[in-house]
Amino acid sequence: TIVIITGDHNARSIFNYSNSTTSKLQYSVPFYMYLPPSYCASAEEKEIIEKRYASHYDILSTIAPLSLKEGTKYLNVGNNILDTTKQNKDFFSYNEEQIIAPEESNKDSLMNVMKSRELIMKLYYQNQIHA
């Protein structure tokens, strides 16, 4: 059994986000994933994965390869969080007009990725509605 728990934004009114270390967490979204031991990453891979930023777009891209029949088509506009062949600088979060990413990331490039994702989704869903 694979267990995925996520939600909308956290309880912003409960916590104090006034200092610079925690302010970026104000708009974060909880995401918990339990995988059976046979799916689990090595200790080295876990260390890589746990340092990643991610967004809602990345959730489907992460769980689909684990849970869908191979070859099943889906709108994949995110990154697989568990893919340790990708560099952490390619993972980011986008909230309240800001990008949260590792220091070595090119934020202009990531903003272009975000705009591209939004355009792809808009075109995809417009096509679905008018089909």
Side-chain angles (χ1 to χ4, degrees):
T1 301
I2 297 172
V3 178
I4 306 292
I5 300 171
T6 190
D8 200 353
H9 300 282
N10 65 15
R12 288 179 270 228
S13 61
I14 296 174
F15 301 105
N16 179 357
Y17 295 102
S18 59
N19 76 47
S20 62
T21 306
T22 60
S23 64
K24 67 181 178 184
L25 301 176
Q26 183 173 1
Y27 298 102
S28 64
V29 175
F31 178 67
Y32 170 83
M33 181 182 332
Y34 168 81
L35 297 173
S38 61
Y39 286 86
C40 286
S42 69
E44 183 179 283
E45 290 170 324
K46 283 181 187 178
E47 189 174 324
I48 293 169
I49 293 164
E50 289 173 355
K51 293 179 181 174
R52 289 189 162 159
Y53 293 96
S55 73
H56 275 113
Y57 296 114
D58 301 320
I59 294 173
L60 180 59
S61 300
T62 300
I63 63 175
L66 298 171
S67 57
L68 297 177
K69 182 179 175 184
E70 190 173 328
T72 301
K73 293 181 181 182
Y74 61 96
L75 181 59
N76 182 5
V77 294
N79 291 311
N80 181 341
I81 300 165
L82 303 176
D83 183 353
T84 55
T85 65
K86 291 190 175 196
Q87 296 182 4
N88 282 347
K89 69 181 182 68
D90 296 328
F91 289 82
F92 65 98
S93 176
Y94 176 79
N95 287 302
E96 295 298 309
E97 301 300 321
Q98 66 177 334
I99 288 185
I100 302 171
E103 292 298 320
E104 68 272 13
S105 301
N106 179 327
K107 294 194 178 178
D108 288 336
S109 174
L110 296 179
M111 183 58 84
N112 287 336
V113 169
M114 191 64 209
K115 289 177 182 176
S116 298
R117 285 178 177 174
E118 290 173 353
L119 178 59
I120 289 168
M121 290 177 55
K122 182 178 180 177
L123 294 172
Y124 176 84
Y125 287 113
Q126 281 180 349
N127 186 42
Q128 295 300 311
I129 291 169
H130 298 296

